Amino acid sequence: MDDLLPAHFREWFASRGWAPRPHQLELLERAQDDRSTLLVAPTGAGKTLAGFLPSLVDLAAAGPAPLKGRGLHTLYISPLKALAIDVARNVETPVREMDLPIRIETRTGDTPPAKRKRQVERPPDVLMTTPEQLALMLASPSASELFGGLKRVVLDELHALVTSKRGDLLSLDLARLWAIAPGLSTTGLSATVREPDALRRYLVPQGTGSIADVIVVEGGAEPDIRMLDLGHDLPLAGHLGPTAMPAIYELISQHKTTLVFTNTRFQAEYTFQELWRLNDDVLPIAIHHGSLDVEQRRRVEAAMTAGKLKAVVCTATLDLGIDWGDVDLVVNVGAPKGASRIMQRIGRANHRMDEPSKAYLAPTNRFEILECQAALDAIAVAAQDTPDPRIGALDVLAQHVLGRACAEPFALEQLYEEIRQAAPYAGLTWEDFEAVVDFVATGGYSLRAYERFAKIRRGPDGLWRVRDGRVAQQYRMNVGTITEATMLKVRLSRSSSGKPGAVVPRRGRVLGEVEEGFVEAMSPGDTFIFAGEILRFEAIHEDEALVTRTTAGTDPKIPAYAGAKFPLSTFLAERVRGLLAHPSEWHRLPMGADEWLHQQQRRSVIPEPGEMLIETFPRQRRHYLVAFPFEGRLAHQTLGMLLTRRLERARLRPLGFVANDYGIATWCMGDIGARAEAEPGFLDALFGQDMLGDDLEEWLAESAMMKRTFRDCAVIAGLIERNHLGERKTRRQVTISTDLVYDVLRRHEPDHILLRAARADAATGLLDVKRLGAMLARIKGRIRHKALDRVSPLAISLILEIGRESVIGEAADEILAEAEAMLLEEALA
């Protein structure tokens, strides 16, 4: 198939000592036949070049562009701004070296307005952007002209796009592009796919029964991945991993460039500080996460590309397909939470398909040893655990409907058929569609008396239009599906007297952003760790937290971010349960986990496959119930909330509960163990599936969590705008607005689309009700109860969660270690 490539392309490959890979030529052949295709290939297989090769060949054959440009030919969509910029840099290399008459540009949230305007008036040949920017461009009256000649869309890291509301929004925008440019073909690129057919449907218009072609690249070197064995027992609880830091620092010193991944921004800041404290050799180590200022992130990225850094401590901001120079090792601090996620991160080490990527998993406690081993076993058999395809969210649809009206008037029936071309919305009913349009037009039955909720109107010609230019401008300021707590910029300042609060008006550069609630809880003079530095808080000025640098602080805090924790994947949880239930496998578990499980076996029981263990025991004038579903923190938190309601009705007087990824503990004044022994069916009834009926509805009605979920849906749907002309609403303002609307709708319109959207989010996201329901069905009749006279070795980690201080550092570690030693002595006595 080499004859598919023009001569100068073949010469370019040869000049680099390469030959086109078979899958690159196969994708080129499919694209030349205008066939949409999903390419599934391991890291280092040249996916990016394969995705762009058809466009480069097309544009090279077309020759130099006219003076006014030839219009947009290819649109590249990335889940990350950094990925779009990195890919642009890599694709420009063959364009430059072959002297191709092709103009490539990026458009992200950081692109200046003047450049965005020019990109519309004189578009490049290839535009690399994000889902949010595509939605903005499609909401412009010039959208049909801009995209009318579009030939190809390349969707990179497709698996990361389609599993969230960003994927819903992107699917609707694809449906719009298919309507504007009917000859459009799509290419999906992914290294991590569990169900390829779901992604193949996403890439083509629905309704015809067709799906995109698929090319699967087999082979590639097996990754060299292992658990970091410290040679001593790990603690039973904790997630920061201080004892692993010397070993991680040693690995950094032995390799060219190491990416040290953490699961949260909190953990990233802590890890960076600990590594820097050990850095007697003054190795160049940096930090990278989404709350840091964009300029700081770009400096780190440029230094990585140039090979100037020995290590970068990072979060998910770097776990997609960016080619960062000479990265030859990945270390994941903490449990991976999913096999696909850790494989994605491992792929950042060594972007060469035929050489193994090298990585270490560094568990921080003994439960995480189980999880790391389960992930290693899943990787060994190439098991994937990406989520199932989504059903499109109604709040996202409401945002899209308003965007369509901002671009041009639409007919109801035509828009309905267009929307159903998007895979997540293929099953959308006419009734739901009408309800969404009515919401955008009036706010819904309960809110139609308020003019501000009326965003679109139907004209005499039957077409729907945006109400006025101000509504369109508000839409453009609030587009997107990523909702976060209100953020404050962290800006360096100077203190005139060294006293807290004595701030000189002249201010320095911005370091990044932290959540408003974190800053509000601080007093002037308090210290915190951010951007790899110890900072002293001075004051809040407008939307900024003014800080000064300091070299020391008493127990400096670390900002924590809402929604920052990954849940344990369903598939990995099942493997953890399987590993736990087979003692013959425990010898593979290092750092005290093997002996810990044998202690549990001697003092209590280990559940059989399919069973759920419940232990009850008295402690310090309280009665405890500890259960081990292994279903993830979100499902366990919801279970705890519902369980305490049932225990209250059973007159056992519950006092509270704690949950982690592996289990839940609740404590009562009443004797739960005695009740369970006296009434054989008590625990089965307590954990009955009917828990998700009236109990759930009653709890949801009064839950602050549900109100937060509704708040996010209201912001996405445009009911409440966070950004206004010349101002930005505070978290408190948004909360008051949405809480009032929530109460009104719950009383007067319980079937409102935003309440339905919030319930759907609760079922799969924040509350993980769907997963909890599957768990309750799984354990029906399979509960294993063990009445004990004291805490068990397995339960210690949950007891340690109770009343833990939110401090870090050596003192906190010592407190936790002392408590753990005391509990372990109690358990084994």
Side-chain angles (χ1 to χ4, degrees), residues 612 614-617 622-627 636-658 664-677 679 681-688 690-691 695-696 698-699 783 785:
M612 183 182 78
I614 292 179
E615 296 174 336
T616 53
F617 52 85
R622 302 285 187 268
H623 296 276
Y624 286 79
L625 179 151
V626 180
H636 293 166
Q637 285 177 334
T638 303
L639 175 63
M641 293 166 188
L642 299 178
L643 191 60
T644 51
R645 295 175 71 91
R646 292 199 154 191
L647 290 169
E648 185 69 42
R649 286 206 304 271
R651 300 183 183 281
L652 286 166
R653 292 173 292 166
L655 299 173
F657 77 93
V658 292
I664 176 176
T666 182
W667 54 100
C668 304
M669 294 296 292
D671 192 339
I672 310 176
R675 182 74 168 268
E677 292 290 297
E679 300 178 26
F682 176 72
L683 291 179
D684 286 317
L686 197 62
F687 287 84
D690 58 346
M691 179 186 289
D695 279 344
L696 178 62
E698 289 174 11
W699 176 73
I783 291 177
H785 175 224

Side-chain angles (χ1 to χ4, degrees), residues 748-764:
H748 302 293
E749 199 175 352
D751 199 40
H752 191 280
I753 69 153
L754 288 189
L755 291 178
R756 291 165 57 192
R759 292 188 194 106
D761 283 1
T764 57

Side-chain angles (χ1 to χ4, degrees), residues 501-814:
V503 179
V504 171
R506 181 182 171 189
R507 299 193 294 273
R509 67 185 180 88
V510 172
L511 298 178
E513 295 180 322
V514 294
E515 289 185 3
E516 184 180 44
F518 173 76
V519 179
E520 286 175 343
M522 300 184 75
S523 300
D526 286 352
T527 58
F528 65 103
I529 294 171
F530 183 71
E533 303 183 68
I534 299 178
L535 305 172
R536 185 174 65 188
F537 171 63
E538 302 289 355
I540 294 177
H541 179 68
E542 297 177 347
D543 64 344
E544 296 180 344
L546 303 183
V547 301
T548 53
R549 288 191 175 99
T550 183
T551 56
T554 304
D555 290 333
K557 301 175 183 178
I558 297 180
Y561 297 84
K565 294 179 180 177
F566 291 121
L568 179 66
S569 84
T570 306
F571 309 94
L572 209 54
E574 187 175 350
R575 286 184 175 272
V576 170
R577 289 194 296 267
L579 182 60
L580 187 70
H582 290 90
S584 62
E585 298 291 315
W586 294 351
H587 69 278
R588 299 188 293 138
L589 303 174
M591 295 178 284
D594 183 7
E595 175 56 26
W596 169 58
L597 293 181
H598 279 105
Q599 289 170 346
Q600 172 70 17
Q601 199 174 38
R602 290 191 293 269
R603 296 291 174 173
S604 179
V605 296
I606 296 289
E608 296 292 326
E611 290 182 338
M612 183 182 78
L613 172 63
I614 292 179
E615 296 174 336
T616 53
F617 52 85
R619 188 171 189 276
Q620 296 180 346
R621 296 182 295 173
R622 302 285 187 268
H623 296 276
Y624 286 79
L625 179 151
V626 180
F628 297 97
F630 292 90
E631 288 292 350
R633 183 184 298 268
L634 296 179
H636 293 166
Q637 285 177 334
T638 303
L639 175 63
M641 293 166 188
L642 299 178
L643 191 60
T644 51
R645 295 175 71 91
R646 292 199 154 191
L647 290 169
E648 185 69 42
R649 286 206 304 271
R651 300 183 183 281
L652 286 166
R653 292 173 292 166
L655 299 173
F657 77 93
V658 292
N660 60 21
D661 263 339
Y662 314 105
I664 176 176
T666 182
W667 54 100
C668 304
M669 294 296 292
D671 192 339
I672 310 176
R675 182 74 168 268
E677 292 290 297
E679 300 178 26
F682 176 72
L683 291 179
D684 286 317
L686 197 62
F687 287 84
Q689 289 174 268
D690 58 346
M691 179 186 289
L692 300 183
D694 291 343
D695 279 344
L696 178 62
E697 288 302 315
E698 289 174 11
W699 176 73
L700 287 179
E702 62 194 43
S703 166
M705 272 180 144
M706 191 63 184
K707 286 186 176 181
R708 286 203 301 273
T709 306
F710 176 84
R711 187 185 315 153
D712 288 345
C713 292
V715 169
I716 290 171
L719 183 75
I720 303 293
E721 290 105 352
R722 173 159 286 169
N723 296 309
H724 286 264
L725 295 174
E727 63 177 0
R728 179 180 173 88
K729 278 193 175 183
T730 66
R731 178 183 59 176
R732 178 173 174 79
Q733 287 172 323
V734 172
T735 298
I736 292 172
S737 300
T738 54
D739 284 359
L740 288 172
V741 173
Y742 176 78
D743 291 336
V744 168
L745 295 181
R746 194 164 54 81
R747 283 195 302 270
H748 302 293
E749 199 175 352
D751 199 40
H752 191 280
I753 69 153
L754 288 189
L755 291 178
R756 291 165 57 192
R759 292 188 194 106
D761 283 1
T764 57
L766 184 63
L767 310 179
D768 225 346
V769 173
K770 182 179 179 181
R771 187 163 167 186
L772 178 57
M775 184 273 288
L776 293 174
R778 174 175 58 81
I779 65 169
K780 184 178 181 180
R782 305 294 308 277
I783 291 177
R784 182 86 175 270
H785 175 224
K786 182 68 175 178
L788 302 171
D789 60 359
R790 70 198 71 176
V791 63
S792 75
L794 214 60
I796 289 175
S797 69
L798 281 158
I799 301 303
L800 287 171
E801 295 273 355
I802 299 171
R804 284 182 59 188
E805 296 290 336
S806 58
V807 296
I808 64 163
E810 293 180 8
D813 296 333
E814 288 174 9

Side-chain angles (χ1 to χ4, degrees), residues 131 176 399 562:
R176 182 64 191 140
Q399 183 182 125

